[in-house]
Amino acid sequence: MQRLCAVVTTYRPDPAFVSRFVSLLGTCDHVLVVDNTPGGHAFAALPAGFELLQNGINEGLGPALNRGILRAKQAGADHVILFDQDSTPGPDTAAQLLWFCRSAQARLGDRCAVGPTHVDDVTGSRAEPRARPRATSEGSERTCLPTAGLLFPLRQISPETLFASDLFLDLVDFDWCWRRRREGWRFLRATGIDLVHRFGVEERRCAGWRFHVPAPYRHYFQFRDTLRLMMRPYVPAYSRLRLSCILPVKLLVYPLILDHGSERLRWMVRGVQDALRGVTGIGAAADPLAR
């Protein structure tokens, strides 16, 4: 019988955290909570089936995911499903995605990953793809998938094929998917399986364009790591062009239309500076994130 483990990354999780993920135990053999809270979050007693991985530092998303994935393999899992604390999986989400993945494996082999369609937990809006996806019999094929709800078999995963540790937060999922695509991996989004998820601080619309507003410090990682990622040879040409075009727009527009505009601008500029300096890890955001 195949075994599924869930890996959930946390950073100062809210009191309702456990209640949002306890339903995973109906499908998952283990729920591995990888905590990035500095000093370690003081969790209440976790339910049987939950396992806490904690080292007291904020090491970034990639290393946290990697610790969980390696522990899942050690526990004998065949598949892993990834979440962060901002997701709210339904009682059947993991089971549906596991079935979807097994169906994809039967056609494509073990080098495939699947994910749900994300639904904003505040507005109820669905995350629709910007480019028209290539349809399959069960979903839509994508060049990459977000980590929230990402499910894949572990047979082809080794220490060399884990998530990048030099991209602290944003773009970790893009980088991993694009590297795996070079090895023949396929990525499928299940159009009929929803995952409720918190996209940002709030959602805004401007000139017909819908976007999610992050906390100001997130702009630091977005600018720094986007500039670093754009130079990598495995980034698709369309994505490189889109990323290079969107940064100047954010730099000029976001400080004018969003709250804390001057603070956001400072984080953006510092992100550009640290990209040129080759800074990795938590970098300039250590003060707001490491306390």
Side-chain angles (χ1 to χ4, degrees):
M1 181 177 178
Q2 291 187 325
R3 302 181 66 194
L4 172 66
C5 277
V7 173
V8 186
T9 59
T10 61
Y11 172 80
R12 304 193 188 284
D14 63 276
F17 162 73
V18 172
S19 65
R20 290 199 300 275
F21 290 94
V22 70
S23 66
L24 291 174
L25 292 173
T27 303
C28 301
D29 295 273
H30 289 86
V31 177
L32 304 170
V33 180
V34 187
D35 182 41
N36 264 349
T37 304
H41 180 74
F43 287 89
L46 294 174
F50 277 60
E51 179 179 343
L52 178 61
L53 304 178
Q54 216 171 22
N55 64 8
I57 62 173
N58 189 350
E59 58 188 350
L61 180 58
L65 291 172
N66 294 341
R67 281 206 292 148
I69 291 168
L70 292 175
R71 177 67 186 110
K73 289 196 71 171
Q74 185 183 43
D78 302 290
H79 293 75
V80 68
I81 184 170
L82 309 179
F83 295 101
D84 62 48
Q85 66 191 39
D86 293 327
S87 299
T88 306
D92 299 323
T93 301
Q96 291 174 334
L97 285 169
L98 182 59
W99 178 89
F100 183 47
C101 186
R102 287 172 176 167
S103 176
Q105 284 177 262
R107 296 180 289 108
L108 304 175
D110 287 333
R111 293 189 177 187
C112 65
V114 303
T117 297
H118 293 99
V119 178
D120 190 284
D121 71 340
V122 176
T123 67
S125 60
R126 295 167 63 84
E128 300 297 341
R130 294 181 175 86
R132 183 169 182 169
R134 184 170 65 181
T136 71
S137 59
E138 298 173 330
S140 59
E141 186 158 358
R142 310 295 297 147
T143 58
C144 60
L145 294 169
T147 50
L150 183 67
L151 189 151
F152 53 89
L154 291 170
R155 189 187 305 272
Q156 299 291 333
I157 298 300
S158 67
E160 293 73 34
T161 57
L162 293 173
F163 287 84
S165 59
D166 60 340
L167 302 174
F168 188 78
L169 189 57
D170 294 283
L171 306 172
V172 169
D173 44 6
F174 283 35
D175 175 83
W176 186 79
C177 292
W178 289 335
R179 284 189 288 120
R180 299 288 73 78
R181 285 185 73 230
R182 294 206 304 177
E183 300 164 359
W185 279 63
R186 306 276 289 277
F187 298 92
L188 300 175
R189 190 181 77 156
T191 53
I193 304 174
D194 290 347
L195 174 65
V196 176
H197 186 75
R198 174 68 55 87
F199 289 106
V201 177
E202 61 177 313
E203 182 180 277
R204 290 283 190 91
R205 291 179 180 271
C206 181
W209 180 41
R210 186 181 73 192
F211 60 98
H212 294 93
V213 180
Y217 73 84
R218 291 287 292 265
H219 296 301
Y220 170 73
F221 297 114
Q222 291 172 353
F223 273 68
R224 187 195 71 180
D225 292 343
T226 295
L227 290 171
R228 297 180 63 248
L229 183 61
M230 280 167 43
M231 300 298 105
R232 299 181 178 181
Y234 49 80
V235 177
Y238 167 78
S239 298
R240 183 178 288 110
L241 176 63
R242 180 177 172 274
L243 290 172
S244 64
C245 291
I246 202 169
L247 287 186
V249 174
K250 288 184 176 181
L251 184 66
L252 294 173
V253 175
Y254 277 14
L256 299 177
I257 67 172
L258 299 181
D259 58 354
H260 306 288
S262 59
E263 181 184 0
R264 293 179 188 277
L265 180 60
R266 286 195 299 270
W267 281 119
M268 294 177 192
V269 171
R270 185 60 186 271
V272 174
Q273 292 172 337
D274 281 4
L276 297 175
R277 294 169 180 154
V279 175
T280 61
I282 197 168
D287 183 55
L289 290 181
R291 290 176 297 182

